[in-house]
PDB file of all heavy atoms in Angstrom:
ATOM      1  N   TRP A   1     117.824 114.422  42.050  1.00  0.00           N
ATOM      2  CA  TRP A   1     116.393 114.364  41.771  1.00  0.00           C
ATOM      3  C   TRP A   1     115.880 115.737  41.348  1.00  0.00           C
ATOM      4  O   TRP A   1     115.111 115.852  40.390  1.00  0.00           O
ATOM      5  CB  TRP A   1     115.643 113.853  43.008  1.00  0.00           C
ATOM      6  CG  TRP A   1     114.166 113.916  42.875  1.00  0.00           C
ATOM      7  CD1 TRP A   1     113.356 113.057  42.178  1.00  0.00           C
ATOM      8  CD2 TRP A   1     113.292 114.900  43.428  1.00  0.00           C
ATOM      9  NE1 TRP A   1     112.046 113.456  42.275  1.00  0.00           N
ATOM     10  CE2 TRP A   1     111.980 114.586  43.044  1.00  0.00           C
ATOM     11  CE3 TRP A   1     113.508 116.027  44.223  1.00  0.00           C
ATOM     12  CZ2 TRP A   1     110.892 115.354  43.420  1.00  0.00           C
ATOM     13  CZ3 TRP A   1     112.416 116.781  44.600  1.00  0.00           C
ATOM     14  CH2 TRP A   1     111.127 116.442  44.197  1.00  0.00           C
ATOM     15  N   TYR A   2     116.313 116.777  42.053  1.00  0.00           N
ATOM     16  CA  TYR A   2     115.868 118.127  41.722  1.00  0.00           C
ATOM     17  C   TYR A   2     116.367 118.532  40.330  1.00  0.00           C
ATOM     18  O   TYR A   2     115.598 119.031  39.507  1.00  0.00           O
ATOM     19  CB  TYR A   2     116.355 119.139  42.767  1.00  0.00           C
ATOM     20  CG  TYR A   2     115.970 120.553  42.412  1.00  0.00           C
ATOM     21  CD1 TYR A   2     114.686 121.009  42.624  1.00  0.00           C
ATOM     22  CD2 TYR A   2     116.889 121.413  41.821  1.00  0.00           C
ATOM     23  CE1 TYR A   2     114.317 122.298  42.263  1.00  0.00           C
ATOM     24  CE2 TYR A   2     116.539 122.692  41.463  1.00  0.00           C
ATOM     25  CZ  TYR A   2     115.249 123.128  41.682  1.00  0.00           C
ATOM     26  OH  TYR A   2     114.885 124.397  41.318  1.00  0.00           O
ATOM     27  N   ILE A   3     117.643 118.334  40.075  1.00  0.00           N
ATOM     28  CA  ILE A   3     118.223 118.799  38.808  1.00  0.00           C
ATOM     29  C   ILE A   3     117.679 118.024  37.610  1.00  0.00           C
ATOM     30  O   ILE A   3     117.427 118.603  36.549  1.00  0.00           O
ATOM     31  CB  ILE A   3     119.766 118.731  38.871  1.00  0.00           C
ATOM     32  CG1 ILE A   3     120.279 119.805  39.832  1.00  0.00           C
ATOM     33  CG2 ILE A   3     120.390 118.893  37.502  1.00  0.00           C
ATOM     34  CD1 ILE A   3     121.751 119.708  40.143  1.00  0.00           C
ATOM     35  N   LEU A   4     117.482 116.724  37.789  1.00  0.00           N
ATOM     36  CA  LEU A   4     117.032 115.915  36.654  1.00  0.00           C
ATOM     37  C   LEU A   4     115.509 115.870  36.517  1.00  0.00           C
ATOM     38  O   LEU A   4     114.992 115.711  35.415  1.00  0.00           O
ATOM     39  CB  LEU A   4     117.568 114.488  36.784  1.00  0.00           C
ATOM     40  CG  LEU A   4     119.093 114.359  36.751  1.00  0.00           C
ATOM     41  CD1 LEU A   4     119.502 112.920  37.008  1.00  0.00           C
ATOM     42  CD2 LEU A   4     119.652 114.858  35.431  1.00  0.00           C
ATOM     43  N   GLY A   5     114.774 116.020  37.629  1.00  0.00           N
ATOM     44  CA  GLY A   5     113.337 115.856  37.572  1.00  0.00           C
ATOM     45  C   GLY A   5     112.518 117.115  37.728  1.00  0.00           C
ATOM     46  O   GLY A   5     111.549 117.329  37.006  1.00  0.00           O
ATOM     47  N   VAL A   6     112.895 117.961  38.672  1.00  0.00           N
ATOM     48  CA  VAL A   6     112.085 119.129  39.001  1.00  0.00           C
ATOM     49  C   VAL A   6     112.514 120.358  38.202  1.00  0.00           C
ATOM     50  O   VAL A   6     111.669 121.078  37.655  1.00  0.00           O
ATOM     51  CB  VAL A   6     112.150 119.415  40.522  1.00  0.00           C
ATOM     52  CG1 VAL A   6     111.414 120.691  40.877  1.00  0.00           C
ATOM     53  CG2 VAL A   6     111.600 118.241  41.301  1.00  0.00           C
ATOM     54  N   PHE A   7     113.809 120.618  38.141  1.00  0.00           N
ATOM     55  CA  PHE A   7     114.286 121.852  37.521  1.00  0.00           C
ATOM     56  C   PHE A   7     113.910 121.994  36.047  1.00  0.00           C
ATOM     57  O   PHE A   7     113.604 123.115  35.608  1.00  0.00           O
ATOM     58  CB  PHE A   7     115.795 122.019  37.702  1.00  0.00           C
ATOM     59  CG  PHE A   7     116.298 123.321  37.160  1.00  0.00           C
ATOM     60  CD1 PHE A   7     116.020 124.510  37.817  1.00  0.00           C
ATOM     61  CD2 PHE A   7     117.002 123.375  35.971  1.00  0.00           C
ATOM     62  CE1 PHE A   7     116.449 125.720  37.312  1.00  0.00           C
ATOM     63  CE2 PHE A   7     117.436 124.580  35.465  1.00  0.00           C
ATOM     64  CZ  PHE A   7     117.165 125.756  36.127  1.00  0.00           C
ATOM     65  N   PRO A   8     113.927 120.926  35.240  1.00  0.00           N
ATOM     66  CA  PRO A   8     113.532 121.133  33.835  1.00  0.00           C
ATOM     67  C   PRO A   8     112.139 121.748  33.690  1.00  0.00           C
ATOM     68  O   PRO A   8     111.933 122.602  32.822  1.00  0.00           O
ATOM     69  CB  PRO A   8     113.588 119.711  33.244  1.00  0.00           C
ATOM     70  CG  PRO A   8     114.628 119.033  34.059  1.00  0.00           C
ATOM     71  CD  PRO A   8     114.453 119.574  35.451  1.00  0.00           C
ATOM     72  N   ARG A   9     111.194 121.346  34.541  1.00  0.00           N
ATOM     73  CA  ARG A   9     109.851 121.947  34.477  1.00  0.00           C
ATOM     74  C   ARG A   9     109.891 123.411  34.914  1.00  0.00           C
ATOM     75  O   ARG A   9     109.220 124.262  34.321  1.00  0.00           O
ATOM     76  CB  ARG A   9     108.880 121.149  35.343  1.00  0.00           C
ATOM     77  CG  ARG A   9     108.582 119.769  34.795  1.00  0.00           C
ATOM     78  CD  ARG A   9     107.430 119.097  35.523  1.00  0.00           C
ATOM     79  NE  ARG A   9     107.651 118.939  36.949  1.00  0.00           N
ATOM     80  CZ  ARG A   9     108.217 117.874  37.518  1.00  0.00           C
ATOM     81  NH1 ARG A   9     108.622 116.873  36.768  1.00  0.00           N
ATOM     82  NH2 ARG A   9     108.360 117.812  38.833  1.00  0.00           N
ATOM     83  N   GLU A  10     110.670 123.697  35.964  1.00  0.00           N
ATOM     84  CA  GLU A  10     110.795 125.088  36.418  1.00  0.00           C
ATOM     85  C   GLU A  10     111.437 125.944  35.329  1.00  0.00           C
ATOM     86  O   GLU A  10     111.009 127.072  35.091  1.00  0.00           O
ATOM     87  CB  GLU A  10     111.627 125.153  37.702  1.00  0.00           C
ATOM     88  CG  GLU A  10     110.912 124.630  38.919  1.00  0.00           C
ATOM     89  CD  GLU A  10     111.747 124.732  40.184  1.00  0.00           C
ATOM     90  OE1 GLU A  10     112.875 125.278  40.134  1.00  0.00           O
ATOM     91  OE2 GLU A  10     111.275 124.264  41.233  1.00  0.00           O
ATOM     92  N   ARG A  11     112.479 125.416  34.679  1.00  0.00           N
ATOM     93  CA  ARG A  11     113.149 126.157  33.608  1.00  0.00           C
ATOM     94  C   ARG A  11     112.183 126.460  32.471  1.00  0.00           C
ATOM     95  O   ARG A  11     112.129 127.588  31.974  1.00  0.00           O
ATOM     96  CB  ARG A  11     114.356 125.364  33.092  1.00  0.00           C
ATOM     97  CG  ARG A  11     115.115 126.119  32.007  1.00  0.00           C
ATOM     98  CD  ARG A  11     116.277 125.327  31.440  1.00  0.00           C
ATOM     99  NE  ARG A  11     115.789 124.122  30.802  1.00  0.00           N
ATOM    100  CZ  ARG A  11     116.264 122.909  31.031  1.00  0.00           C
ATOM    101  NH1 ARG A  11     117.221 122.723  31.905  1.00  0.00           N
ATOM    102  NH2 ARG A  11     115.767 121.865  30.408  1.00  0.00           N
ATOM    103  N   GLU A  12     111.391 125.467  32.078  1.00  0.00           N
ATOM    104  CA  GLU A  12     110.413 125.679  30.999  1.00  0.00           C
ATOM    105  C   GLU A  12     109.390 126.742  31.377  1.00  0.00           C
ATOM    106  O   GLU A  12     109.010 127.556  30.541  1.00  0.00           O
ATOM    107  CB  GLU A  12     109.716 124.358  30.640  1.00  0.00           C
ATOM    108  CG  GLU A  12     110.625 123.329  30.005  1.00  0.00           C
ATOM    109  CD  GLU A  12     111.346 123.850  28.768  1.00  0.00           C
ATOM    110  OE1 GLU A  12     110.705 124.523  27.931  1.00  0.00           O
ATOM    111  OE2 GLU A  12     112.561 123.602  28.652  1.00  0.00           O
ATOM    112  N   GLN A  13     108.962 126.763  32.639  1.00  0.00           N
ATOM    113  CA  GLN A  13     108.001 127.764  33.085  1.00  0.00           C
ATOM    114  C   GLN A  13     108.620 129.159  33.059  1.00  0.00           C
ATOM    115  O   GLN A  13     107.977 130.128  32.628  1.00  0.00           O
ATOM    116  CB  GLN A  13     107.489 127.433  34.496  1.00  0.00           C
ATOM    117  CG  GLN A  13     106.394 128.355  34.975  1.00  0.00           C
ATOM    118  CD  GLN A  13     105.157 128.309  34.083  1.00  0.00           C
ATOM    119  OE1 GLN A  13     104.717 127.239  33.684  1.00  0.00           O
ATOM    120  NE2 GLN A  13     104.617 129.465  33.759  1.00  0.00           N
ATOM    121  N   ILE A  14     109.870 129.287  33.497  1.00  0.00           N
ATOM    122  CA  ILE A  14     110.549 130.587  33.472  1.00  0.00           C
ATOM    123  C   ILE A  14     110.701 131.073  32.030  1.00  0.00           C
ATOM    124  O   ILE A  14     110.433 132.237  31.728  1.00  0.00           O
ATOM    125  CB  ILE A  14     111.931 130.493  34.169  1.00  0.00           C
ATOM    126  CG1 ILE A  14     111.751 130.257  35.672  1.00  0.00           C
ATOM    127  CG2 ILE A  14     112.751 131.755  33.922  1.00  0.00           C
ATOM    128  CD1 ILE A  14     113.046 129.900  36.395  1.00  0.00           C
ATOM    129  N   ILE A  15     111.100 130.178  31.142  1.00  0.00           N
ATOM    130  CA  ILE A  15     111.271 130.552  29.729  1.00  0.00           C
ATOM    131  C   ILE A  15     109.928 130.939  29.118  1.00  0.00           C
ATOM    132  O   ILE A  15     109.838 131.922  28.370  1.00  0.00           O
ATOM    133  CB  ILE A  15     111.941 129.396  28.942  1.00  0.00           C
ATOM    134  CG1 ILE A  15     113.379 129.206  29.423  1.00  0.00           C
ATOM    135  CG2 ILE A  15     111.901 129.656  27.448  1.00  0.00           C
ATOM    136  CD1 ILE A  15     114.033 127.940  28.923  1.00  0.00           C
ATOM    137  N   LYS A  16     108.885 130.192  29.464  1.00  0.00           N
ATOM    138  CA  LYS A  16     107.544 130.510  28.956  1.00  0.00           C
ATOM    139  C   LYS A  16     107.109 131.895  29.448  1.00  0.00           C
ATOM    140  O   LYS A  16     106.571 132.695  28.676  1.00  0.00           O
ATOM    141  CB  LYS A  16     106.546 129.448  29.414  1.00  0.00           C
ATOM    142  CG  LYS A  16     105.169 129.598  28.787  1.00  0.00           C
ATOM    143  CD  LYS A  16     104.158 128.627  29.364  1.00  0.00           C
ATOM    144  CE  LYS A  16     104.583 127.201  29.155  1.00  0.00           C
ATOM    145  NZ  LYS A  16     103.581 126.238  29.685  1.00  0.00           N
ATOM    146  N   ASN A  17     107.354 132.190  30.727  1.00  0.00           N
ATOM    147  CA  ASN A  17     107.007 133.508  31.277  1.00  0.00           C
ATOM    148  C   ASN A  17     107.798 134.612  30.583  1.00  0.00           C
ATOM    149  O   ASN A  17     107.270 135.686  30.307  1.00  0.00           O
ATOM    150  CB  ASN A  17     107.261 133.548  32.779  1.00  0.00           C
ATOM    151  CG  ASN A  17     106.294 132.690  33.568  1.00  0.00           C
ATOM    152  OD1 ASN A  17     105.278 132.243  33.032  1.00  0.00           O
ATOM    153  ND2 ASN A  17     106.622 132.446  34.815  1.00  0.00           N
ATOM    154  N   TRP A  18     109.077 134.360  30.312  1.00  0.00           N
ATOM    155  CA  TRP A  18     109.917 135.362  29.655  1.00  0.00           C
ATOM    156  C   TRP A  18     109.434 135.597  28.219  1.00  0.00           C
ATOM    157  O   TRP A  18     109.333 136.743  27.777  1.00  0.00           O
ATOM    158  CB  TRP A  18     111.378 134.932  29.670  1.00  0.00           C
ATOM    159  CG  TRP A  18     112.274 135.887  28.949  1.00  0.00           C
ATOM    160  CD1 TRP A  18     112.893 135.700  27.759  1.00  0.00           C
ATOM    161  CD2 TRP A  18     112.643 137.208  29.370  1.00  0.00           C
ATOM    162  NE1 TRP A  18     113.628 136.802  27.413  1.00  0.00           N
ATOM    163  CE2 TRP A  18     113.489 137.745  28.384  1.00  0.00           C
ATOM    164  CE3 TRP A  18     112.335 137.985  30.481  1.00  0.00           C
ATOM    165  CZ2 TRP A  18     114.037 139.019  28.485  1.00  0.00           C
ATOM    166  CZ3 TRP A  18     112.882 139.253  30.571  1.00  0.00           C
ATOM    167  CH2 TRP A  18     113.721 139.754  29.579  1.00  0.00           C
ATOM    168  N   ASN A  19     109.159 134.521  27.504  1.00  0.00           N
ATOM    169  CA  ASN A  19     108.713 134.664  26.117  1.00  0.00           C
ATOM    170  C   ASN A  19     107.327 135.307  26.026  1.00  0.00           C
ATOM    171  O   ASN A  19     106.997 135.916  25.008  1.00  0.00           O
ATOM    172  CB  ASN A  19     108.720 133.307  25.410  1.00  0.00           C
ATOM    173  CG  ASN A  19     110.131 132.824  25.159  1.00  0.00           C
ATOM    174  OD1 ASN A  19     111.079 133.613  25.060  1.00  0.00           O
ATOM    175  ND2 ASN A  19     110.300 131.515  25.072  1.00  0.00           N
ATOM    176  N   ALA A  20     106.520 135.182  27.083  1.00  0.00           N
ATOM    177  CA  ALA A  20     105.183 135.788  27.080  1.00  0.00           C
ATOM    178  C   ALA A  20     105.247 137.294  27.305  1.00  0.00           C
ATOM    179  O   ALA A  20     104.275 138.001  27.014  1.00  0.00           O
ATOM    180  CB  ALA A  20     104.312 135.127  28.150  1.00  0.00           C
ATOM    181  N   ARG A  21     106.365 137.780  27.827  1.00  0.00           N
ATOM    182  CA  ARG A  21     106.496 139.215  28.071  1.00  0.00           C
ATOM    183  C   ARG A  21     106.614 139.962  26.741  1.00  0.00           C
ATOM    184  O   ARG A  21     107.319 139.527  25.843  1.00  0.00           O
ATOM    185  CB  ARG A  21     107.746 139.513  28.901  1.00  0.00           C
ATOM    186  CG  ARG A  21     107.652 139.077  30.352  1.00  0.00           C
ATOM    187  CD  ARG A  21     108.896 139.510  31.114  1.00  0.00           C
ATOM    188  NE  ARG A  21     109.152 140.935  31.009  1.00  0.00           N
ATOM    189  CZ  ARG A  21     108.595 141.863  31.785  1.00  0.00           C
ATOM    190  NH1 ARG A  21     107.740 141.521  32.702  1.00  0.00           N
ATOM    191  NH2 ARG A  21     108.886 143.130  31.636  1.00  0.00           N
ATOM    192  N   GLU A  22     105.936 141.083  26.675  1.00  0.00           N
ATOM    193  CA  GLU A  22     106.069 141.909  25.478  1.00  0.00           C
ATOM    194  C   GLU A  22     107.316 142.772  25.561  1.00  0.00           C
ATOM    195  O   GLU A  22     107.996 142.971  24.567  1.00  0.00           O
ATOM    196  CB  GLU A  22     104.813 142.773  25.308  1.00  0.00           C
ATOM    197  CG  GLU A  22     103.595 141.956  24.928  1.00  0.00           C
ATOM    198  CD  GLU A  22     102.418 142.841  24.600  1.00  0.00           C
ATOM    199  OE1 GLU A  22     102.628 144.002  24.214  1.00  0.00           O
ATOM    200  OE2 GLU A  22     101.286 142.347  24.718  1.00  0.00           O
ATOM    201  N   ASP A  23     107.597 143.267  26.755  1.00  0.00           N
ATOM    202  CA  ASP A  23     108.747 144.146  26.955  1.00  0.00           C
ATOM    203  C   ASP A  23     109.932 143.289  27.424  1.00  0.00           C
ATOM    204  O   ASP A  23     109.915 142.725  28.511  1.00  0.00           O
ATOM    205  CB  ASP A  23     108.409 145.202  28.012  1.00  0.00           C
ATOM    206  CG  ASP A  23     109.619 146.022  28.405  1.00  0.00           C
ATOM    207  OD1 ASP A  23     110.533 146.161  27.564  1.00  0.00           O
ATOM    208  OD2 ASP A  23     109.649 146.500  29.553  1.00  0.00           O
ATOM    209  N   LYS A  24     110.938 143.191  26.555  1.00  0.00           N
ATOM    210  CA  LYS A  24     112.136 142.424  26.917  1.00  0.00           C
ATOM    211  C   LYS A  24     113.397 143.276  26.882  1.00  0.00           C
ATOM    212  O   LYS A  24     114.487 142.764  27.105  1.00  0.00           O
ATOM    213  CB  LYS A  24     112.318 141.242  25.963  1.00  0.00           C
ATOM    214  CG  LYS A  24     111.217 140.228  26.054  1.00  0.00           C
ATOM    215  CD  LYS A  24     111.436 139.100  25.085  1.00  0.00           C
ATOM    216  CE  LYS A  24     110.264 138.157  25.144  1.00  0.00           C
ATOM    217  NZ  LYS A  24     110.298 137.164  24.091  1.00  0.00           N
ATOM    218  N   THR A  25     113.235 144.561  26.596  1.00  0.00           N
ATOM    219  CA  THR A  25     114.424 145.394  26.402  1.00  0.00           C
ATOM    220  C   THR A  25     114.595 146.483  27.449  1.00  0.00           C
ATOM    221  O   THR A  25     115.680 147.043  27.563  1.00  0.00           O
ATOM    222  CB  THR A  25     114.384 146.054  25.014  1.00  0.00           C
ATOM    223  OG1 THR A  25     113.189 146.827  24.904  1.00  0.00           O
ATOM    224  CG2 THR A  25     114.438 145.009  23.909  1.00  0.00           C
ATOM    225  N   SER A  26     113.580 146.784  28.203  1.00  0.00           N
ATOM    226  CA  SER A  26     113.684 147.884  29.161  1.00  0.00           C
ATOM    227  C   SER A  26     114.546 147.482  30.354  1.00  0.00           C
ATOM    228  O   SER A  26     114.861 146.310  30.568  1.00  0.00           O
ATOM    229  CB  SER A  26     112.290 148.300  29.653  1.00  0.00           C
ATOM    230  OG  SER A  26     111.762 147.304  30.513  1.00  0.00           O
ATOM    231  N   TRP A  27     114.876 148.492  31.136  1.00  0.00           N
ATOM    232  CA  TRP A  27     115.674 148.259  32.341  1.00  0.00           C
ATOM    233  C   TRP A  27     114.915 147.336  33.289  1.00  0.00           C
ATOM    234  O   TRP A  27     115.501 146.434  33.885  1.00  0.00           O
ATOM    235  CB  TRP A  27     115.962 149.612  33.009  1.00  0.00           C
ATOM    236  CG  TRP A  27     116.823 149.502  34.214  1.00  0.00           C
ATOM    237  CD1 TRP A  27     118.183 149.499  34.247  1.00  0.00           C
ATOM    238  CD2 TRP A  27     116.380 149.374  35.574  1.00  0.00           C
ATOM    239  NE1 TRP A  27     118.625 149.376  35.535  1.00  0.00           N
ATOM    240  CE2 TRP A  27     117.531 149.294  36.384  1.00  0.00           C
ATOM    241  CE3 TRP A  27     115.136 149.312  36.188  1.00  0.00           C
ATOM    242  CZ2 TRP A  27     117.473 149.174  37.766  1.00  0.00           C
ATOM    243  CZ3 TRP A  27     115.074 149.179  37.558  1.00  0.00           C
ATOM    244  CH2 TRP A  27     116.245 149.113  38.331  1.00  0.00           C
ATOM    245  N   TYR A  28     113.608 147.542  33.408  1.00  0.00           N
ATOM    246  CA  TYR A  28     112.784 146.707  34.285  1.00  0.00           C
ATOM    247  C   TYR A  28     112.751 145.256  33.806  1.00  0.00           C
ATOM    248  O   TYR A  28     112.804 144.325  34.613  1.00  0.00           O
ATOM    249  CB  TYR A  28     111.357 147.270  34.380  1.00  0.00           C
ATOM    250  CG  TYR A  28     111.299 148.588  35.083  1.00  0.00           C
ATOM    251  CD1 TYR A  28     111.075 149.768  34.383  1.00  0.00           C
ATOM    252  CD2 TYR A  28     111.496 148.664  36.461  1.00  0.00           C
ATOM    253  CE1 TYR A  28     111.044 150.994  35.028  1.00  0.00           C
ATOM    254  CE2 TYR A  28     111.467 149.877  37.112  1.00  0.00           C
ATOM    255  CZ  TYR A  28     111.236 151.041  36.394  1.00  0.00           C
ATOM    256  OH  TYR A  28     111.216 152.240  37.048  1.00  0.00           O
ATOM    257  N   ALA A  29     112.652 145.065  32.515  1.00  0.00           N
ATOM    258  CA  ALA A  29     112.639 143.708  31.956  1.00  0.00           C
ATOM    259  C   ALA A  29     113.952 142.988  32.267  1.00  0.00           C
ATOM    260  O   ALA A  29     113.958 141.803  32.613  1.00  0.00           O
ATOM    261  CB  ALA A  29     112.400 143.756  30.454  1.00  0.00           C
ATOM    262  N   HIS A  30     115.053 143.716  32.153  1.00  0.00           N
ATOM    263  CA  HIS A  30     116.363 143.114  32.456  1.00  0.00           C
ATOM    264  C   HIS A  30     116.459 142.737  33.939  1.00  0.00           C
ATOM    265  O   HIS A  30     117.040 141.700  34.285  1.00  0.00           O
ATOM    266  CB  HIS A  30     117.499 144.066  32.061  1.00  0.00           C
ATOM    267  CG  HIS A  30     117.704 144.144  30.592  1.00  0.00           C
ATOM    268  ND1 HIS A  30     118.623 143.376  29.934  1.00  0.00           N
ATOM    269  CD2 HIS A  30     117.082 144.899  29.646  1.00  0.00           C
ATOM    270  CE1 HIS A  30     118.580 143.649  28.636  1.00  0.00           C
ATOM    271  NE2 HIS A  30     117.648 144.577  28.438  1.00  0.00           N
ATOM    272  N   ARG A  31     115.916 143.597  34.810  1.00  0.00           N
ATOM    273  CA  ARG A  31     115.945 143.285  36.251  1.00  0.00           C
ATOM    274  C   ARG A  31     115.078 142.064  36.565  1.00  0.00           C
ATOM    275  O   ARG A  31     115.439 141.225  37.388  1.00  0.00           O
ATOM    276  CB  ARG A  31     115.471 144.477  37.091  1.00  0.00           C
ATOM    277  CG  ARG A  31     116.306 145.746  36.989  1.00  0.00           C
ATOM    278  CD  ARG A  31     117.768 145.618  37.407  1.00  0.00           C
ATOM    279  NE  ARG A  31     118.693 145.045  36.468  1.00  0.00           N
ATOM    280  CZ  ARG A  31     119.257 145.644  35.408  1.00  0.00           C
ATOM    281  NH1 ARG A  31     118.983 146.882  35.120  1.00  0.00           N
ATOM    282  NH2 ARG A  31     120.104 145.010  34.636  1.00  0.00           N
ATOM    283  N   ILE A  32     113.920 141.969  35.906  1.00  0.00           N
ATOM    284  CA  ILE A  32     113.042 140.806  36.102  1.00  0.00           C
ATOM    285  C   ILE A  32     113.743 139.540  35.621  1.00  0.00           C
ATOM    286  O   ILE A  32     113.732 138.509  36.309  1.00  0.00           O
ATOM    287  CB  ILE A  32     111.690 141.015  35.381  1.00  0.00           C
ATOM    288  CG1 ILE A  32     110.886 142.100  36.100  1.00  0.00           C
ATOM    289  CG2 ILE A  32     110.906 139.710  35.285  1.00  0.00           C
ATOM    290  CD1 ILE A  32     109.663 142.559  35.345  1.00  0.00           C
ATOM    291  N   ARG A  33     114.384 139.629  34.472  1.00  0.00           N
ATOM    292  CA  ARG A  33     115.131 138.481  33.937  1.00  0.00           C
ATOM    293  C   ARG A  33     116.218 138.071  34.911  1.00  0.00           C
ATOM    294  O   ARG A  33     116.387 136.876  35.217  1.00  0.00           O
ATOM    295  CB  ARG A  33     115.725 138.857  32.580  1.00  0.00           C
ATOM    296  CG  ARG A  33     116.569 137.775  31.948  1.00  0.00           C
ATOM    297  CD  ARG A  33     117.157 138.276  30.614  1.00  0.00           C
ATOM    298  NE  ARG A  33     118.002 137.287  30.002  1.00  0.00           N
ATOM    299  CZ  ARG A  33     119.299 137.158  30.246  1.00  0.00           C
ATOM    300  NH1 ARG A  33     119.891 137.963  31.111  1.00  0.00           N
ATOM    301  NH2 ARG A  33     119.996 136.233  29.635  1.00  0.00           N
ATOM    302  N   GLU A  34     116.973 139.041  35.420  1.00  0.00           N
ATOM    303  CA  GLU A  34     118.042 138.741  36.375  1.00  0.00           C
ATOM    304  C   GLU A  34     117.488 138.117  37.653  1.00  0.00           C
ATOM    305  O   GLU A  34     118.094 137.204  38.220  1.00  0.00           O
ATOM    306  CB  GLU A  34     118.827 140.002  36.715  1.00  0.00           C
ATOM    307  CG  GLU A  34     119.733 140.476  35.605  1.00  0.00           C
ATOM    308  CD  GLU A  34     120.379 141.820  35.912  1.00  0.00           C
ATOM    309  OE1 GLU A  34     120.309 142.267  37.083  1.00  0.00           O
ATOM    310  OE2 GLU A  34     120.953 142.411  34.987  1.00  0.00           O
ATOM    311  N   ALA A  35     116.341 138.595  38.112  1.00  0.00           N
ATOM    312  CA  ALA A  35     115.734 138.044  39.329  1.00  0.00           C
ATOM    313  C   ALA A  35     115.316 136.593  39.113  1.00  0.00           C
ATOM    314  O   ALA A  35     115.539 135.748  39.983  1.00  0.00           O
ATOM    315  CB  ALA A  35     114.541 138.892  39.754  1.00  0.00           C
TER     316      ALA A  35
END
């Protein structure tokens, strides 16, 4: 249920948050991505 129903929405939110970031190349951005 989690993998098929809940996680796709969470994944889309994480991707949306990542794409909204202006800084994607700094060390801090990489740590945030990893987190």
Side-chain angles (χ1 to χ4, degrees):
W1 173 78
Y2 177 78
I3 290 171
L4 297 175
V6 175
F7 184 72
R9 291 191 301 270
E10 288 181 4
R11 182 183 63 230
E12 293 305 316
Q13 185 61 44
I14 292 169
I15 293 169
K16 187 186 300 182
N17 290 347
W18 177 252
N19 289 335
R21 289 184 55 85
E22 290 187 25
D23 172 27
K24 295 179 184 171
T25 58
S26 72
W27 183 87
Y28 293 107
H30 286 265
R31 298 300 80 79
I32 290 170
R33 178 182 178 272
E34 287 173 13

